[in-house]
């Protein structure tokens, strides 16, 4: 049978563990997911445009990656980002792969399929699913 001292000690340790939890929690980035792109295609040789990326779990410093190249990205909300697509990225027909990652620090790397972006923290950059974009002839 537990004594009152044992019960008090147990309650104290439980309370201490709860108070210390934020101190030892991981600050790794969340894993984003992409649900849609707008537009989802463009005509080859067209002008540059703003790509709207819809999804979930975007951090305020999230980065949109186009065929392995990080783009200038604007945070709209944790479910939407915009990125500037230069005309050089749609100059020729073919597929493009888009994904998003949430950097955990200034130097990040992630690999999604055959596309990579760079990262040197212990958490790794949390990369989303690859989403296809079509540049049509």
């Amino acid at each position: 049978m537990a004594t009152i001292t044992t019960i008090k000690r147990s309650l104290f340790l439980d309370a201490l563990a709860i108070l210390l939890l934020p101190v030892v929690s991981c600050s790794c980035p969340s894993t984003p997911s992409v649900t849609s792109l707008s537009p989802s295609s463009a005509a080859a040789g067209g002008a540059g445009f703003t790509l709207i990326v819809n999804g979930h779990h975007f951090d305020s410093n999230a980065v949109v990656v186009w065929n392995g190249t990080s783009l200038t990205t604007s945070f709209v909300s944790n479910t939407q980002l915009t990125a500037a697509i230069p005309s050089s990225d749609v100059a020729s027909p073919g597929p493009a792969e888009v994904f998003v990652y949430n950097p955990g620090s200034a130097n990040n790397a992630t690999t999604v399929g055959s596309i990579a972006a760079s990262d040197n923290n212990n958490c790794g950059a949390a990369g989303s699913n690859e989403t296809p974009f079509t540049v049509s002839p």
Side-chain angles (χ1 to χ4, degrees), residues 110-128:
T110 191
T111 301
V112 177
S114 60
I115 299 174
S118 134
D119 173 34
N120 295 326
N121 68 12
N122 291 331
C123 297
S128 75

Side-chain angles (χ1 to χ4, degrees), residues 37-123:
L37 303 174
S38 180
S40 59
S41 64
F49 60 94
T50 298
L51 179 68
I52 299 170
V53 180
N54 297 301
H56 302 284
H57 308 293
F58 299 147
D59 288 349
S60 61
N61 62 343
V63 177
V64 174
V65 178
W66 174 281
N67 282 341
T69 301
S70 297
L71 300 174
T72 300
T73 303
S74 296
F75 177 81
V76 177
S77 71
N78 66 348
T79 61
Q80 190 173 79
L81 304 169
T82 61
I85 307 297
S87 60
S88 58
D89 283 350
V90 292
S92 302
E97 292 296 330
V98 176
F99 76 93
V100 173
Y101 75 96
N102 291 328
S105 70
N107 298 316
N108 282 298
T110 191
T111 301
V112 177
S114 60
I115 299 174
S118 134
D119 173 34
N120 295 326
N121 68 12
N122 291 331
C123 297

